[in-house]
Amino acid sequence: MPAPARSRRQVRLSRSLGLPLTPKAEKYFERRPYPPGEHGRARRRNDSDYSVRLKEKQRLRAQYNIREAQMLKVYKEARREQGLTGENLVELLEMRLDALVLRAGFARTIQQARQFVVHRHIMVDGQRVDRPSFRVKEGQMIHVHQKSAEMEPFQIAAAGGHRDVLPAVPGYLKVDLEALQATLLRRPKREEVPITCDIQLVVEYYSR
């Protein structure tokens, strides 16, 4: 999909879900926060319990840019773990390689982070990894390949060019931005993860 079409799709999805998914979408969202379509501004219907839970699940999926099958797989894993399923779900999603590339500030959006991984620009403990869903373990270091680091997008990142659109680096990551290196210090905690989501509604959606 060409970049302009992909960008427009993200804007429409942002307005539909009620949260900005990219910096560009945020600008459009501020001007037109209502759902897309000629009747978007006029919609005032009461959503059913199911549709509310469905929308919250879609919001979480969109923020991690993953398919439904991937989300369901992680949910089932979260349910098997000890503790609260919803918190486990977010923590497991946050340990995806593409999510941590974004949190570290190497990419501007989750879509760009995924692209960097797929194109083999990202390494974990010295080994190239091309799977965005790769689960990073505590103590592992994420870094940009030496040759890739010379590319303009990574030079911009190393200079702190994404600080204006990204949240502060969370406490579970140690980042040396100039060197394009980040280490996962420990498992993330739900309250530290910079996403917008009522995770209990997501759990209720899947456990229905």
Side-chain angles (χ1 to χ4, degrees):
M1 182 184 297
R6 186 164 54 244
S7 178
R8 287 194 298 271
R9 180 178 178 276
Q10 288 298 315
V11 170
R12 288 179 62 84
L13 183 59
S14 294
R15 287 163 54 204
S16 175
L17 296 177
L19 78 164
L21 297 171
T22 66
K24 187 171 184 178
E26 185 167 9
K27 294 178 182 177
Y28 281 96
F29 187 78
E30 288 172 356
R31 296 202 305 265
R32 303 177 64 189
Y34 42 84
E38 61 177 312
H39 302 298
R41 193 194 300 265
R43 293 177 186 175
R44 292 291 186 271
R45 67 176 183 276
N46 293 321
D47 292 332
S48 67
D49 288 345
Y50 171 79
S51 65
V52 168
R53 294 184 179 97
L54 172 63
K55 184 174 182 178
E56 206 63 25
K57 184 265 297 183
Q58 291 172 326
R59 283 158 62 99
L60 182 60
R61 263 189 59 203
Q63 288 173 87
Y64 284 100
N65 191 36
I66 60 175
R67 299 187 304 273
E68 176 60 27
Q70 293 174 298
M71 177 77 111
L72 182 57
K73 181 179 179 181
V74 180
Y75 168 77
K76 289 179 178 177
E77 183 180 353
R79 192 173 57 183
R80 291 193 297 268
E81 289 193 348
Q82 292 185 340
L84 297 175
T85 299
E87 294 188 5
N88 291 340
L89 174 60
V90 173
E91 292 164 15
L92 291 172
L93 288 171
E94 189 65 11
M95 293 163 73
R96 288 172 54 96
L97 179 56
D98 56 354
L100 293 175
V101 167
L102 176 65
R103 304 293 180 233
F106 300 168
R108 193 172 180 86
T109 66
I110 189 65
Q111 291 80 15
Q112 187 181 48
R114 176 185 177 86
Q115 186 179 50
F116 286 164
V117 176
V118 169
H119 290 176
R120 296 171 58 81
H121 297 306
I122 305 298
M123 307 179 78
V124 178
D125 286 348
Q127 300 295 319
R128 287 184 191 262
V129 179
D130 59 5
R131 290 188 297 112
S133 62
F134 177 86
R135 179 80 49 75
V136 180
K137 297 183 177 68
E138 296 175 43
Q140 287 190 313
M141 185 175 74
I142 304 162
H143 51 113
V144 176
H145 189 273
Q146 186 174 0
K147 288 187 178 179
S148 300
E150 299 171 2
M151 297 168 57
E152 184 179 7
F154 293 114
Q155 289 293 303
I156 291 172
H162 304 326
R163 287 198 184 101
D164 60 328
V165 297
L166 295 177
V169 175
Y172 44 86
L173 271 181
K174 178 182 179 182
V175 176
D176 182 344
L177 194 56
E178 192 172 333
L180 293 171
Q181 296 178 351
T183 301
L184 181 62
L185 300 175
R186 54 178 172 77
R187 179 164 168 151
K189 297 298 181 186
R190 167 63 187 100
E191 61 270 16
E192 302 174 289
V193 178
I195 59 166
T196 301
C197 179
D198 185 335
I199 195 63
Q200 182 56 36
L201 292 179
V202 179
V203 172
E204 290 174 5
Y205 172 85
Y206 281 116
S207 60
R208 68 192 190 285

